[in-house]
Amino acid sequence: MASERYNPREAEPKWQAAWDAAEVFRTRNEDPRPRYYVLEMFPYPSGRIHMGHVRNYTMGDVVARYKRARGFNVLHPMGWDAFGLPAENAAMQNKVHPAKWTYENIATMRAQLKSMGLSLDWAREIATCSPEYYRHQQKMFIDFFKAGLVYRRKSKVNWDPVDMTVLANEQVVDGRGWRSGALVEQRELEQWNFRITAYSEELLAALDGLDRWPDKVRLMQRNWIGKSEGARVRFEFAAPAPNGDRTLEIFTTRPDTLFGASFMAIAPDHPVARACGAADPDLAAFQEKCRQMGTSVAVLETAEKEGYDTGLRVKHPFLPGVELKVFVANFILMDYGTGAIFGCPAHDQRDLDFARKYGLSVTPVVLPPGADPAVFTVGDIAYDGEGTLYNSGFLDGLSIEAAKDAVAGRLETTEVDGAPQGTRQVNFRLRDWLISRQRYWGCPIPMVHCEACGVVPVPAAELPVKLPDDATFDRPGNPLDHHPTWKHVACPSCGRSARRETDTMDTFVDSSWYFARFTDPWNETAPTTRSAVDAWLPVDQYIGGIEHAILHLLYSRFFTRAMKATGHAGLDEPFAGLFTQGMVVHETYKGPEGWVSPAEIEITEIDGKRTARMKDGGATVEIGGIEKMSKSKKNTVDPTEIIGGWGADTARWFMLSDSPPERDVIWTEAGAEGAHRFVQRIWRMVGDALPFVSGPAPARPAEFSAAATALRKAAHKVLAAVEDDIEKLAFNRAVARIYELANTLQKAVLDARAAEGAAADAGLAAALHEAFDILVRIIAPMMPHLAEECWQVMERDGLLATSDWPVADRALIVDDTIVLPIQINGKKRAELTIGRDASEAEVTAATLAHEAVVKALDGKAPRKVIVVPQRIVNVVA
RNA sequence: GCGGACGUGGCGAAACCGGUAGACGCACGAGACUUAAAAUCUUGCGCCCACAAGGCGUGCGGGUUCGAGUCCCGCCGUCCGCACCA
């Protein structure tokens, strides 16, 4: 047995089949044990899994298997984020139907995931593109609509005139469509939106309660929601604007600086600007120029502030007789605040840049602490720090906060044009979620447009609104719109001929509730079963990439609230614990003809210098930087090849070793070899130890020998540490502790074998038996196949996958004697071995009697002796 | 520009509350086994000086403390997020 190498190609499928046959990972909702829901972000079925999936799903699987061993009823499901653009692109390029392409990819990837030995409940598998899933999404859409959480509105979108479709912002590159290369136009289209802003305040406030989320993610969401408190102020026009407006309403977070106002600025698309532009060709040209500039990031960064004087004037609310010019300016955004501002150049850098360019006055109104009001001026840098108000009439002498209050108070009680001149206002950066997509491969929006009845939801009994199978993809635009018959229906309300909505939903909708569907994916009549969804949610541990820190997680938080509002769930927050794992990165290689893959090259190392050559031809290859695995740089490693070659356990072990899980991990051949060596080493050790560890546990002696006790202590200490590490998802630390135990056990086995025939130490045999039991059980979550195989050759009962986690004996974890470092003047000079419970006086006495201390003190009395119990002694000479 | 995170051996890292810096792994060196190689085992491995003793070391400079990788202040560098949000 000991001489045979462990063969993962044989063992892994065998144990996967055994687990399957025993339905070990099937989760029953009615199981009375405490529940634990661990979920990894489900994959998009792009075709093949990549190493990032391997890392993500390994981490989740360790948690699932560990929690199962700890006695929890674990829910660990898997599914497919199966709608989306790539399927449609494949349809256009390869003449294959998106459904066929998607389901084939799913089949491939399911097999790949299964080869990893993940403890998933495949009976709950869902694909978001199946009508059995999206029918429920349509039901919820209608419920949200009825609850006022869905509405339709004209929105500005990026329109690709060649592909005849709407593009997401990230699909617009330098103002052009990423695929067609056509100049993207801003178009106004009637679009469906989710009213996520109804929850702005709540989504922000609830972040504080998500204490098992990374601070980084919470901060990103906080910034994204972007709450700012300020005031809306209405400035009266000296003469009405061309569109008839008598006042210009602005939003400001600095009402305290109102006395420093020197101009007004409005967005190019502001209604007043449009009205002015209609009568002024020069202004219209300027507005058009601003619109063109809109999208390109590079232009935005360098764009100079520019404006156009409309000729309009407004009255300053507090300074009778003072009038301010109204500019149309390129740096004012229509969709933030009111699309208009007052400019206070002294205390806002943008306003200052603008004022300098157009020769507008700059009046400081906040005096920095300690500055002389007679001398203080603003040059090229606006002052936005703390200070005291001056040059500001009734505000003089107030702090900024007090002045904000005073201004708001005054404006609330002043009337202009029949309404208060100003109101306190909380503003959010967060905008409503535009979900309309002019695509085929998405969830159809279950609405009908009727000339007589308007927008009518499809009746629940008629759901799902299914995608037509016979769509064509050979011309640009929305295949649903092109379809000859699909969109023509009778109005559900009046029965007259009407038109189906041809927009489909953003795929982020699909992934905003899949975690809830997993709790009862068999329910055919409703999206969720309340008893199941309320019992399982929130997800105890959610694991995925940082790239979803904002959108997916924010949308899911919104969706859960909307589901609560419509009776589909009973809670607000879907994910109690969140962990964001790092990427898998790899060295890059550049050959004479561009990037080459790791598989194509050979690396040799001479005197510490690594050189790479092509395997084929031997051409020199330049070793480049370590970067995220990507097809374009060809620095990918295929999980199938790794699993086929080394086995799933090697891949899993590597993914958990070395790098902390939140950080990037560098995939290296040497590291994979190292991981595989450890797999073999465990197997060899178990084989060598079989005489001591197989079969039932030997009787325990009344007293363990010193060697046996040391072994037991080592095993139990590591066990306790590994528990702690897995609970904290510190897998790399758990791995290090397991290596430590393996090193200890290896020596112990060697010693035990050498001593064979000599006086038998019954205690040592029992200790070895126990220690190997612990070793195999603690590697099981990480390397489940190897552990199962060891379990079998050790002749233990049943499947390890269904066994309990071992119990750490606390008495063995604390030592009777401890080694205390002795510092002299803060530097370590000696060590003191002393009883754990030694009093401070005893420690002091023993320290002062220590040779090194006596020598250092040279007969003098120490100035001070600091004893930190159980930790350290410091003698100050 | 604003906000955040992080800088520890040749490399990935550990050090949980301010208490032995470098656990564990990779790479590398030496040795054993072998006809040989692979595998395996033993052993060494921060730097300086080395016989020992010692000195210096956690990006740089200061500070607090009996004691600082850890706390505070100021720099430098790397990475990430947001980006004209009024």
Side-chain angles (χ1 to χ4, degrees):
Chain A
M1 181 57 67
S3 60
E4 259 178 58
R5 279 174 70 81
Y6 172 69
N7 183 358
R9 279 178 295 279
E10 209 171 278
E12 291 184 351
K14 179 179 78 184
W15 291 115
Q16 286 160 19
W19 297 327
D20 233 21
E23 297 193 347
V24 173
F25 308 128
R26 196 62 74 78
T27 305
R28 324 238 168 231
N29 285 350
E30 61 278 12
D31 190 318
R33 292 175 300 167
R35 297 164 197 274
Y36 192 89
Y37 188 175
V38 54
L39 182 69
E40 301 95 60
M41 290 180 185
F42 67 163
Y44 176 78
S46 57
R48 306 181 67 76
I49 64 167
H50 53 69
M51 293 311 278
H53 292 127
V54 174
R55 193 177 194 203
N56 191 185
Y57 299 139
T58 298
M59 288 180 192
D61 200 46
V62 172
V63 174
R65 287 178 181 267
Y66 170 76
K67 288 290 180 183
R68 215 175 272 118
R70 300 295 315 235
F72 287 89
N73 180 27
V74 171
L75 178 57
H76 187 215
M78 182 56 72
W80 310 96
D81 189 11
F83 272 137
L85 212 45
E88 232 168 306
N89 291 337
M92 274 183 260
Q93 283 154 26
N94 309 327
K95 307 272 179 244
V96 54
H97 193 276
K100 183 170 150 53
W101 184 86
T102 302
Y103 281 105
E104 282 175 1
N105 286 348
I106 287 175
T108 306
M109 291 173 71
R110 187 193 298 116
Q112 289 183 300
L113 290 184
K114 286 195 170 181
S115 76
M116 283 181 64
L118 302 170
S119 64
L120 293 164
D121 181 0
W122 284 104
R124 294 176 188 248
E125 178 182 0
I126 53 183
T128 57
C129 64
S130 75
E132 290 74 47
Y133 182 81
Y134 69 67
R135 67 182 300 168
H136 302 297
Q137 192 163 305
Q138 292 173 338
K139 173 70 167 64
M140 285 192 287
F141 180 95
I142 292 166
D143 290 346
F144 290 4
F145 177 75
K146 289 175 179 164
L149 292 168
V150 172
Y151 67 97
R152 214 158 155 258
R153 146 186 111 174
K154 265 202 165 49
S155 310
K156 248 203 247 173
V157 294
N158 302 306
W159 179 258
D160 184 322
V162 171
D163 282 356
M164 300 212 294
T165 187
V166 164
L167 298 176
N169 283 331
E170 55 272 23
Q171 291 165 351
V172 180
V173 183
D174 286 333
R176 290 171 183 277
W178 66 289
R179 221 165 54 80
S180 70
L183 270 178
V184 168
E185 298 168 10
Q186 302 283 308
R187 274 209 188 175
E188 295 233 308
L189 289 179
E190 285 280 334
Q191 301 277 286
W192 289 97
N193 292 270
F194 280 151
R195 207 181 293 281
I196 190 171
T197 55
Y199 294 92
S200 300
E201 187 73 62
E202 214 190 307
L203 288 167
L204 180 70
L207 286 172
D208 291 335
L210 296 175
D211 52 1
R212 291 205 298 118
W213 279 41
D215 288 340
K216 181 189 168 76
V217 174
R218 291 197 283 174
L219 185 69
M220 282 165 75
Q221 294 217 349
R222 218 166 264 136
N223 291 342
W224 188 262
I225 295 168
K227 178 177 179 175
S228 59
E229 293 178 59
R232 274 175 184 254
V233 184
R234 295 161 71 241
F235 285 71
E236 191 179 5
F237 281 114
N243 66 342
D245 281 8
R246 306 182 74 85
T247 60
L248 179 64
E249 188 171 40
I250 60 97
F251 174 72
T252 178
T253 55
R254 294 295 303 271
D256 54 304
T257 63
L258 207 43
F259 282 93
S262 80
F263 66 93
M264 310 299 288
I266 61 178
D269 281 327
H270 192 279
V272 170
R274 289 185 180 220
C276 293
D280 180 347
D282 287 348
L283 175 55
F286 175 70
Q287 287 167 307
E288 191 49 39
K289 189 176 146 200
C290 294
R291 270 176 218 124
Q292 302 273 307
M293 196 190 70
T295 43
S296 167
V297 177
V299 174
L300 265 182
E301 257 173 43
T302 51
E304 205 179 321
K305 308 248 170 314
E306 280 188 85
Y308 187 96
D309 187 351
T310 59
L312 296 172
R313 301 289 181 266
V314 297
K315 298 178 184 171
H316 192 285
F318 299 142
L319 295 170
V322 173
E323 293 192 348
L324 304 170
K325 292 182 177 181
V326 178
F327 289 85
V328 173
N330 63 350
F331 65 101
I332 306 301
L333 307 174
M334 187 58 224
D335 41 13
Y336 186 79
T338 62
I341 61 145
F342 79 82
C344 176
H347 304 293
D348 184 291
Q349 192 60 47
R350 294 158 303 181
D351 297 349
L352 183 61
D353 294 345
F354 189 80
R356 290 291 181 227
K357 175 156 178 166
Y358 293 99
L360 301 159
S361 66
V362 179
T363 311
V365 290
V366 176
L367 187 66
D372 180 351
V375 177
F376 180 70
T377 52
V378 169
D380 289 332
I381 310 284
Y383 180 73
D384 60 2
E386 280 304 307
T388 311
L389 273 290
Y390 74 130
N391 292 339
S392 292
F394 69 98
L395 301 175
D396 281 352
L398 295 179
S399 70
I400 291 174
E401 280 316 305
K404 283 180 179 176
D405 240 29
V407 168
R410 176 78 63 106
L411 293 174
E412 275 164 351
T413 54
T414 318
E415 290 236 328
V416 165
D417 195 27
Q421 182 150 31
T423 50
R424 284 167 222 259
Q425 161 98 22
V426 175
N427 215 31
F428 292 92
R429 208 189 75 113
L430 182 68
R431 306 195 201 137
D432 276 335
W433 174 13
L434 192 159
I435 61 151
S436 281
R437 296 291 181 271
Q438 290 69 41
R439 301 283 184 195
Y440 168 79
W441 197 231
C443 173
I445 291 175
M447 291 288 178
V448 172
H449 300 276
C450 172
E451 297 250 326
C453 311
V455 176
V456 184
V458 173
E462 288 172 28
L463 295 180
V465 175
K466 279 200 196 176
L467 290 169
D469 292 333
D470 55 348
T472 52
F473 304 93
D474 48 5
R475 58 181 165 137
N478 184 354
L480 288 181
D481 203 28
H482 297 158
H483 193 278
T485 57
W486 187 79
K487 68 181 171 189
H488 304 296
V489 286
C491 170
S493 171
C494 68
R496 273 181 280 189
S497 71
R499 185 177 58 81
R500 249 189 222 300
E501 174 61 65
T502 57
D503 285 354
T504 52
M505 295 184 209
D506 179 6
T507 57
F508 272 117
V509 180
D510 313 338
S511 55
S512 290
W513 70 285
Y514 76 108
F515 47 86
R517 183 67 188 169
F518 276 138
T519 63
D520 183 3
W522 303 283
N523 188 334
E524 290 177 11
T525 57
T528 58
T529 305
R530 285 296 299 269
S531 60
V533 75
D534 292 350
W536 281 113
L537 288 183
V539 174
D540 294 284
Q541 187 63 62
Y542 195 34
I543 307 176
I546 187 75
E547 66 273 21
H548 293 114
I550 296 173
L551 297 184
H552 163 59
L553 292 167
L554 194 61
Y555 292 154
S556 297
R557 296 180 62 220
F558 157 72
F559 217 88
T560 305
R561 284 168 170 78
M563 286 172 74
K564 185 183 179 190
T566 49
H568 294 292
L571 79 168
D572 293 320
E573 288 294 337
F575 312 119
L578 173 71
F579 187 85
T580 54
Q581 103 262 8
M583 294 184 298
V584 182
V585 295
H586 196 283
E587 237 174 14
T588 51
Y589 309 103
K590 208 166 199 175
E593 281 150 47
W595 302 107
V596 290
S597 73
E600 297 172 274
I601 59 145
E602 225 161 14
I603 292 180
T604 46
E605 184 169 328
I606 302 155
D607 291 332
K609 196 172 169 351
R610 296 166 72 243
T611 47
R613 308 192 156 275
M614 297 293 293
K615 276 182 188 163
D616 182 17
T620 309
V621 171
E622 188 192 329
I623 299 177
I626 294 165
E627 294 183 53
K628 178 183 180 172
M629 284 191 178
S630 74
K631 280 178 192 147
S632 60
K633 296 253 166 88
K634 288 200 179 175
N635 61 336
T636 56
V637 172
D638 185 355
T640 311
E641 281 170 31
I642 301 299
I643 293 167
W646 307 107
D649 286 341
T650 294
R652 294 169 61 120
W653 185 253
F654 183 96
M655 283 306 181
L656 300 166
S657 310
D658 288 348
S659 290
E662 68 279 7
R663 231 178 277 180
D664 290 352
V665 64
I666 307 171
W667 181 273
T668 61
E669 188 78 357
E673 275 167 29
H676 188 68
R677 266 203 301 277
F678 188 65
V679 169
Q680 294 296 348
R681 193 172 142 213
I682 293 278
W683 179 246
R684 210 162 43 240
M685 270 172 57
V686 168
D688 288 346
L690 278 183
F692 310 102
V693 304
S694 66
R700 284 178 170 215
E703 285 275 314
F704 282 98
S705 65
T709 304
L711 191 59
R712 297 191 68 212
K713 276 176 170 293
H716 282 266
K717 279 182 186 174
V718 167
L719 168 59
V722 168
E723 275 174 24
D724 196 46
D725 292 338
I726 294 180
E727 293 280 1
K728 290 176 178 156
L729 308 183
F731 306 116
N732 58 318
R733 294 199 307 191
V735 164
R737 302 312 300 261
I738 290 171
Y739 270 112
E740 247 169 60
L741 179 58
N743 292 345
T744 307
L745 285 186
Q746 192 157 354
K747 286 192 186 77
V749 171
L750 269 162
D751 290 350
R753 285 175 75 96
E756 250 180 321
D761 180 347
L764 191 61
L768 271 173
H769 191 280
E770 181 187 22
F772 269 86
D773 201 83
I774 288 173
L775 176 71
V776 171
R777 285 174 194 258
I778 61 179
I779 64 169
M782 308 185 180
M783 298 192 285
H785 312 88
L786 172 68
E788 201 74 72
E789 190 79 7
C790 291
W791 196 245
Q792 186 184 45
V793 298
M794 282 160 63
E795 294 171 25
R796 303 300 161 89
D797 292 334
L799 285 169
L800 181 53
T802 58
S803 314
D804 291 339
W805 191 254
V807 179
D809 184 344
R810 296 284 141 185
L812 288 167
I813 291 165
V814 283
D815 292 316
D816 298 336
T817 60
I818 51 173
V819 177
L820 227 45
I822 297 177
Q823 289 184 336
I824 296 167
N825 293 330
K827 296 200 181 214
K828 190 202 161 192
R829 296 295 158 176
E831 281 180 345
L832 177 68
T833 305
I834 198 164
R836 184 191 151 73
D837 301 322
S839 70
E840 213 173 300
E842 285 170 316
V843 172
T844 306
T847 301
L848 293 178
H850 196 285
E851 195 187 354
V853 177
V854 171
K855 199 176 142 204
L857 287 176
D858 196 22
K860 291 190 276 277
R863 290 208 296 166
K864 206 173 179 184
V865 178
I866 294 147
V867 178
V868 183
Q870 324 268 322
R871 286 243 138 154
I872 205 165
V873 192
N874 191 8
V875 179
V876 187

